Amino acid sequence: MSLAPVDVREVVSEVVAGVDGATSNGHRFVLDLPDEPLAAQADGEKLRQILAALVDNAIKFSPDGGKVTLSARQTNDGIEVRVEDEGVGIAPSEQERIFRKFYRGPLASAGTGVGLFIAQGLVLAMGGRIFVDSQEGKGSRFTFELPLASGPSAIQEQRPRV
């Protein structure tokens, strides 16, 4: 894990841009991001991995398409990132188990059951936390929080000069 100031907005945008038409399964992606940098103390590659897993699940468990919203904002405690879908949702009895290694819910048709386990481990390793809010038949909202970096100027200092 290599922690440094990372602009969460850029990583969210890159992950969504990387979803190709064949795998998007008719989904619409909405980005709700502020204009100013969101400086988290994070590992940029691990952050991409977390977001890719959450977006992949949003697509997989919304088989009829729909909207997938990715949002990020600064809170008093850090940077909060959300991935919301309009899919099948997760039963309350399943929500406490979805972050377990090799756990695959009753609606899982593919996958190994490690995506959310790995995502949770990476978020925790970066000093954050992750949780889910979901209703069956109405979709899911995964939220994770990461610590603040020293400030937006720290991000600008990391960018290569042209």
Side-chain angles (χ1 to χ4, degrees):
M1 188 80 48
S2 177
L3 300 178
V6 174
D7 185 355
V8 172
R9 295 170 320 147
E10 288 183 8
V11 178
V12 168
S13 297
E14 288 171 11
V15 169
V16 171
V19 177
D20 64 22
T23 59
S24 72
N25 198 25
H27 291 80
R28 287 180 300 118
F29 291 91
V30 176
L31 296 180
D32 181 11
L33 303 170
D35 293 332
E36 66 278 351
L38 290 173
Q41 189 70 16
D43 182 311
E45 284 305 312
K46 304 302 187 218
L47 179 56
R48 280 178 193 79
Q49 188 176 350
I50 294 162
L51 286 164
L54 295 177
V55 168
D56 182 55
N57 277 355
I59 293 169
K60 188 185 315 180
F61 293 104
S62 304
D64 298 325
K67 179 172 64 170
V68 177
T69 303
L70 287 87
S71 60
R73 66 186 182 100
Q74 183 171 330
T75 66
N76 291 336
D77 301 327
I79 304 296
E80 178 184 273
V81 183
R82 289 187 176 172
V83 178
E84 297 181 60
D85 65 57
E86 299 175 330
V88 297
I90 305 165
S93 61
E94 302 296 312
Q95 291 179 30
E96 61 191 49
R97 299 193 299 226
I98 61 172
F99 292 105
R100 291 183 189 164
K101 190 175 186 179
F102 302 123
Y103 180 75
R104 294 178 61 219
L107 300 175
S109 59
T112 59
V114 297
L116 291 176
F117 172 77
I118 291 170
Q120 180 186 48
L122 294 173
V123 169
L124 293 173
M126 288 188 271
R129 65 186 191 115
I130 186 170
F131 50 94
V132 64
D133 180 31
S134 183
Q135 288 185 311
E136 286 182 276
K138 295 188 177 184
S140 300
R141 176 176 53 222
F142 284 85
T143 305
F144 64 94
E145 299 169 350
L146 297 172
L148 283 172
S150 57
S153 61
I155 290 173
Q156 292 169 352
E157 292 169 12
Q158 297 292 321
R159 292 189 179 146
R161 295 178 189 245
V162 181

